[in-house]
Amino acid sequence: MPKVRLGVALVMPAPLDREIDTLRRATGDGTLGRVPPHCTLVSPVNVRADRMSDVLALLRSAAAATRPLRVRLGPPTTFLPDNPVLYLPLEEGAAEVRALRDRVFREPLARPHTWPYVPHVTVADEADPQRIAAAQVALSEYRTDVVFDRVHLLQEGPGRVWAPIADFGLRPPAVVGRGGLPVELWVSTVLDPAATEFSWREWQVLGLTELGSPLPPERLAISARRDDEVAGVATGWARAGVAQLASLVVATGDRGQGIGSRLLASFESTAASMSCCRLATRVRVGSQGHGFLHHRGWAEEVRLGDWMDGREFVQLRRDL
C-alpha cells in the first residue's frame, strides 16, 4: 500500500505570513518557498494512503473540540546547542496549542518522539550559530499577536514542497436537520481529499450534459457529511463584495432530502459573514441547477448563448 507524507500545522494567516517570511529570508532559512510559515502540531509522518479517511476524521474531531487560538509570539530564541534552529516561542497561548496537539497526535498520525514537543514558529532551520546569535540581538524586542482559526493538513510533494490539502475551522460544524436526517456542514478554504474525490466522482456520474466542465477547488468550500460520509459539497470564492458559487453537488442517493438547500444556505450565510452583498453563478439554461436556484430567489441577469461546449448558460444573482 503506498504511503503519503503528511504533517499537521497551524499555518500563519495573512498578512502575518509575509512578515514571518521576511524574517526567514533575512536569516537564511533553507525551507523558505518550500514550507509555509507555521506552528507544527504533527511533524512529517508517513501514513498509508488508505488511512486518509481516518486522518480527516481525526482532524475534524479535534477541530470541532477547539476554539480559535489567540497566540503571542515572542522574541526569537534557539534550540542550540542541540539543534541549530532559530524560532519564535509562544509567550501566550502555548497551553491551548498543546491541548490541540494532544488531540491530533493520535493514530494514524502519532509517531515516535525525537525531541520533546515545544510549540513554536521556525524562522531559520539548520542556521549558522553566529547568524542565530545576531538575529536574537537584532530582534530582541520583536513580538506579534496572531489568531489561528483553523488547523491545516499538509502533504509533501515533488521537490519536498509542502502544501495544504485540507483545513478545518476551529469550531463545531453546523448541524442541520436535527430530529430527522442530521447533516454536518463544514466550511473551509479548500475541499479535503475525500470531498474532492467525491466531487470529481459525482461530476463524472452526472456527466457534462447536465453540469458542464468541472471547476477547480476554490477559496470557499463547504462539505455536507452524514455518518462521516460526504453527501454533498459547495465551492466558490469571494472578492470585492461578491461571492461566486462555483459548484453545488449532492450525492445521487441523497437528493430530495434538503441537503442541497442546506449547503446553499450555508454558502449564502458564509458569504454574508465575509461582507459580501451579492451572490453570483452561471448554470446551463434549463438544467436542474437553474430551476433549483430560481426557486430559491436567484434572478436572471444575462443569458450567455453558446457559452460552453455549444450550450446556452445563464448568469444568476441574488442580493443579500
Side-chain angles (χ1 to χ4, degrees), residues 1-271:
M1 173 61 63
K3 293 185 177 182
V4 290
R5 193 157 177 80
L6 303 175
V8 181
L10 299 168
V11 174
M12 200 66 60
L16 189 57
D17 58 339
R18 295 189 291 274
E19 180 176 315
I20 301 299
D21 273 347
T22 299
L23 298 180
R24 296 170 70 193
R25 184 175 296 106
T27 53
D29 181 27
T31 66
L32 182 65
R34 293 192 293 108
V35 183
H38 66 280
C39 174
T40 298
L41 296 174
V42 178
S43 298
V45 57
N46 295 323
V47 178
R48 282 175 30 181
D50 62 355
R51 298 294 306 276
M52 181 63 78
S53 60
D54 297 328
V55 171
L56 298 176
L58 172 64
L59 296 183
R60 280 196 299 271
S61 175
T66 308
R67 297 300 175 268
L69 303 170
R70 300 182 181 277
V71 169
R72 170 161 292 183
L73 302 176
T77 186
T78 179
F79 288 127
L80 283 173
D82 296 322
N83 205 348
V85 172
L86 180 72
Y87 68 90
L88 302 176
L90 274 61
E91 288 191 337
E92 298 178 10
E96 291 78 6
V97 171
R98 287 179 182 275
L100 175 57
R101 198 261 186 173
D102 290 342
R103 296 187 185 109
V104 300
F105 196 74
R106 302 177 183 180
E107 283 293 330
L109 293 175
R111 46 161 286 176
H113 293 277
T114 303
W115 304 99
Y117 178 69
V118 177
H120 67 279
V121 175
T122 297
V123 176
D125 196 5
E126 297 295 329
D128 178 83
Q130 291 184 340
R131 202 165 190 176
I132 289 177
Q136 287 182 271
V137 173
L139 298 171
S140 61
E141 300 300 320
Y142 181 84
R143 284 179 175 81
T144 189
D145 295 328
V146 59
V147 176
F148 294 108
D149 66 354
R150 61 193 58 250
V151 59
H152 285 80
L153 176 66
L154 298 95
Q155 181 174 337
E156 186 181 44
R160 299 179 63 194
V161 174
W162 288 84
I165 60 171
D167 64 85
F168 308 86
L170 300 181
R171 59 187 177 276
V175 180
V176 294
R178 295 183 185 274
L181 295 172
V183 173
E184 295 180 350
L185 298 174
W186 293 83
V187 180
S188 58
T189 60
V190 64
L191 291 177
D192 65 46
T196 299
E197 180 183 355
F198 161 85
S199 181
W200 282 100
R201 184 176 67 246
E202 290 299 316
W203 279 109
Q204 293 173 351
V205 170
L206 294 170
L208 297 179
T209 300
E210 174 64 26
L211 297 174
S213 300
L215 295 171
E218 299 294 346
R219 291 195 304 118
L220 176 57
I222 303 169
S223 59
R225 284 177 163 81
R226 176 174 291 162
D227 296 328
D228 216 29
E229 293 292 329
V230 180
V233 299
T235 65
W237 66 90
R239 184 182 299 113
V242 178
Q244 181 78 27
L245 177 64
S247 68
L248 195 159
V249 186
V250 176
T252 304
D254 289 318
R255 292 180 194 163
Q257 301 178 35
I259 294 176
S261 296
R262 291 160 181 164
L263 281 167
L264 182 63
S266 180
F267 184 91
E268 293 173 347
S269 63
T270 302

